Amino acid sequence: MSNDKNNNISSRSTGRVTLSDVAAKAGVSPITASRALKSPDQVSEKLRVKIYAAVSELGYIPNHAARSLASSETKIISVIFPSLSNAVFPDVLDGIHDTLTPAGYRILLANTHYAMDQEEALVRTLLEQSPDGIIVTGIDQNESTRKLLLNSNTPVVQIMELTDCPIDMNVGFSHFQASYDLVRHLQNSGYKKIGFIGARMDPRSQRRMEGYKQAMHEYSETNERYVITSQSNTSFKLGGKLFTQLFTECPELEAICFSNDDLAAGAIFECNRKGIRIPEDISIAGFNDLHFSEELIPPLTTVSIPLYEMGKKAAEYLLYKIEHRTVPPSVQHDVGYSVIERKSTYANLESKK
């Protein structure tokens, strides 16, 4: 009886396929093979076809580590997000991708899960890979992480917020001011009794709450009962739960600002289930202007942020510093924001009377 196990052993070579193997297979010199892969326009179409066929047949994968030793570049940009499930970040990533990919860079994505210690560990690991640049979310890195990035000699862009003391370069907007302006928009529409609901109170959510509180302190009735927060992860379900709690305890509220659109959407779903009319019985406003916000019933008043443009500008900053070996003329870019009024609030509260 034959030994099927031995007969079926893979014939895969134990050695890595090299560029020289590709060149030999295609019948060209290693230099020509390398040129075809790095700068295809410098090689005739006939040779390119042969070389690409050899690459495909042999399963050749370029050794980027060896290439980086020779050129001092890895062509890798590390991007650090606090969450991969938060619907805010895909648009930011699209802007980064659409800018870096045509320039020949690959993106290495990391997730901190909103934990500073994980962020520090990830930064250490990523810096060991010698990326050509790093894009990191937020401005609240701990002292050790900040020191690592400052001393790394690696171009760094902090995104999503603005800071007076960037590690290197900074692209974002003021969450405090955006929330403040949203509340002022409601106040100018006639609202006085305005609540706030927030969840997973990371630094950006905290600043949104502070913007709300400042506007309320200056122009409306300040009441701590009107504020409710949770450290739980944001979800539609949580938004409905927190809304029910706040509106039950404070039925006099005229409007509620939510720290994000997910929570606001959950509140709208809950109102629709219970027959609570929006905006007649309560007005609702969100933050981020996510793709679904305009499709809710009623459509959600919210703060819109140019997320794609933020990612694009951050990538452009990195490319500038990599190419010029110095920071751009301005190291900070404010992408701004817009308060978008929709049917979940009144343009004029008096109109409902």
Side-chain angles (χ1 to χ4, degrees):
M1 183 176 179
S2 64
N3 189 329
D4 292 336
K5 181 178 179 180
N6 290 337
N7 289 345
N8 290 334
I9 291 176
S10 170
S11 59
R12 177 184 176 189
S13 169
T14 57
R16 181 183 182 123
V17 176
T18 66
L19 186 63
S20 295
D21 296 330
V22 171
K25 184 72 175 178
V28 299
S29 69
I31 293 177
T32 300
S34 177
R35 187 178 296 121
L37 298 177
K38 291 182 180 179
S39 305
D41 56 323
Q42 297 182 17
V43 177
S44 71
E45 182 179 359
K46 182 178 179 180
L47 284 180
R48 286 203 306 270
V49 169
K50 292 175 64 177
I51 293 166
Y52 293 165
V55 167
S56 178
E57 182 177 342
L58 295 176
Y60 172 68
I61 298 175
N63 189 338
H64 290 286
R67 182 186 299 175
S68 67
L69 289 173
S71 66
S72 77
E73 292 184 348
T74 60
K75 287 294 183 179
I76 292 175
I77 301 296
S78 297
V79 178
I80 304 174
F81 286 154
S83 169
L84 299 183
S85 60
N86 189 323
V88 165
F89 296 112
D91 284 349
V92 179
L93 184 59
D94 283 345
I96 295 170
H97 172 273
D98 292 351
T99 306
L100 293 178
T101 300
Y105 287 87
R106 295 168 295 146
I107 296 171
L108 185 60
L109 191 59
N111 179 7
T112 70
H113 299 279
Y114 291 96
M116 284 192 174
D117 57 340
Q118 287 195 41
E119 182 178 60
E120 180 183 346
L122 281 170
V123 166
R124 289 182 183 276
T125 299
L126 293 171
L127 287 174
E128 290 173 0
Q129 313 306 313
S130 301
D132 292 338
I134 293 179
I135 296 174
V136 59
T137 303
I139 59 175
D140 295 282
Q141 289 74 34
N142 66 29
E143 184 178 351
S144 295
T145 302
R146 187 175 178 88
K147 188 178 295 185
L148 284 169
L149 293 170
L150 281 168
N151 296 336
S152 68
N153 200 34
T154 300
V156 175
V157 183
Q158 293 163 287
I159 62 169
M160 293 302 296
E161 300 182 72
L162 297 176
T163 175
D164 293 333
C165 301
I167 293 171
D168 192 10
M169 298 167 284
N170 180 210
V171 179
F173 70 102
S174 171
H175 291 251
F176 175 95
Q177 193 64 45
S179 183
Y180 177 93
D181 286 350
L182 174 62
V183 178
R184 290 294 295 125
H185 170 80
L186 295 176
Q187 291 168 334
N188 289 335
S189 298
Y191 293 91
K192 291 184 173 63
K193 297 176 180 178
I194 306 170
F196 178 90
I197 291 177
R200 182 175 273 291
M201 299 302 291
D202 61 84
R204 287 170 292 286
S205 295
Q206 293 281 356
R207 292 181 178 105
R208 294 172 193 176
M209 182 174 68
E210 292 306 314
Y212 156 84
K213 288 183 175 180
Q214 184 66 29
M216 292 297 290
H217 174 73
E218 293 178 3
Y219 297 99
S220 289
E221 301 178 18
T222 301
N223 192 329
E224 288 300 321
R225 292 174 55 246
Y226 291 174
V227 177
I228 185 169
T229 62
S230 170
Q231 289 299 331
S232 299
N233 292 336
T234 289
S235 67
F236 294 159
K237 183 177 180 180
L238 181 63
K241 177 182 177 182
L242 295 178
F243 165 79
T244 298
Q245 180 180 339
L246 182 60
F247 199 43
T248 299
E249 294 175 359
C250 305
E252 71 275 16
L253 283 171
E254 300 164 334
I256 301 175
C257 292
F258 290 79
S259 63
N260 60 55
D261 288 353
D262 299 279
L263 293 173
I268 289 177
F269 297 151
E270 188 69 12
C271 287
N272 290 340
R273 279 193 292 269
K274 293 182 175 180
I276 300 172
R277 299 171 302 165
I278 304 171
E280 292 87 350
D281 299 328
I282 185 69
S283 293
I284 289 177
F287 201 106
N288 287 326
D289 195 22
L290 299 179
H291 296 297
F292 61 76
S293 300
E294 193 173 7
E295 307 304 322
L296 294 169
I297 301 176
L300 180 65
T301 293
T302 187
V303 175
S304 181
I305 306 151
L307 298 168
Y308 181 91
E309 289 75 12
M310 188 188 302
K312 182 175 184 292
K313 189 64 178 181
E316 289 174 348
Y317 265 8
L318 285 183
L319 292 177
Y320 184 97
K321 187 167 186 182
I322 291 169
E323 179 181 353
H324 296 90
R325 303 294 179 182
T326 186
V327 294
S330 173
V331 298
Q332 185 179 81
H333 181 74
D334 186 343
V335 298
Y337 54 85
S338 302
V339 175
I340 306 297
E341 183 183 277
R342 298 194 180 108
K343 299 296 185 179
S344 67
T345 62
Y346 284 107
N348 183 352
L349 188 59
E350 293 297 318
S351 65
K352 86 170 187 176
K353 297 180 180 179

